[in-house]
Amino acid sequence: MSTTPAGGWVVVAWAPDEFGAVALDWALDDAERRDRGVVVVNASRGDALVDDRFAFEEQLAELERRLTGSERPHEIRQSIEPDVAGAVLETAEELDARLIVVGLRRRTPVGKLLMGSVAQRILLGAACPVLSVKPGSTPD
């Protein structure tokens, strides 16, 4: 990891889907405005044969190109963890992050009860501000 940027770090809970794309857009906008670096966390519990939220090599390569093009200090962290929200929160704590950005999916109350919510855990467990964004939203 490079030295800490003047404005600190933004941590992005990212997946190769529309939720990850919008979270990355907002994170890069904040990083540019506030002279921050970006750390992207892509994690999976590893409990399914195929997890479409866990990026493949070509998706990671495209992500790296996008981050490099932003000219912001950056890092991509990909891991298999029993607790995806915990991986994001631990990264934010380790880096003393100034902000966490997460794409928010709509869930019914029953869906949240049965399946839990990574975004909800991040919102409730973070020591820094959390920006939750939805597909279709754009930074000003």
Side-chain angles (χ1 to χ4, degrees):
M1 169 85 48
S2 61
T3 60
T4 301
W9 295 101
V10 177
V11 173
V12 185
W14 182 83
D17 58 19
E18 64 184 330
F19 303 99
V22 72
L24 185 62
D25 289 345
W26 282 87
L28 288 172
D29 181 71
D30 179 82
E32 181 64 33
R33 289 179 191 224
R34 302 178 198 278
D35 193 24
R36 293 177 173 165
V38 177
V39 176
V40 176
V41 178
N42 176 236
S44 171
R45 286 191 303 264
D47 58 352
L49 291 175
V50 176
D51 182 349
D52 59 359
R53 286 176 251 154
F54 198 66
F56 294 107
E57 280 185 49
E58 53 277 356
Q59 293 165 319
L60 291 173
E62 178 58 34
L63 175 61
E64 178 63 38
R65 282 190 290 281
R66 173 104 192 267
L67 291 167
T68 300
S70 76
E71 299 183 357
R72 304 302 317 153
H74 64 274
E75 179 182 337
I76 300 171
R77 296 185 181 188
Q78 187 180 48
S79 61
I80 296 177
E81 304 280 340
D83 180 7
V84 172
V88 174
L89 292 170
E90 286 171 17
T91 299
E93 185 177 327
E94 171 195 332
L95 298 172
D96 193 23
R98 305 297 177 134
L99 179 69
I100 298 172
V101 183
V102 60
L104 203 57
R105 10 182 127 251
R106 185 177 174 98
R107 284 218 172 135
T108 65
V110 172
K112 284 186 257 181
L113 178 66
L114 294 176
M115 299 171 70
S117 168
V118 170
Q120 183 177 1
R121 291 249 352 271
I122 292 169
L123 285 165
L124 296 174
C128 65
V130 177
L131 176 60
S132 59
V133 295
K134 292 183 180 181
S137 65
T138 56
D140 293 334

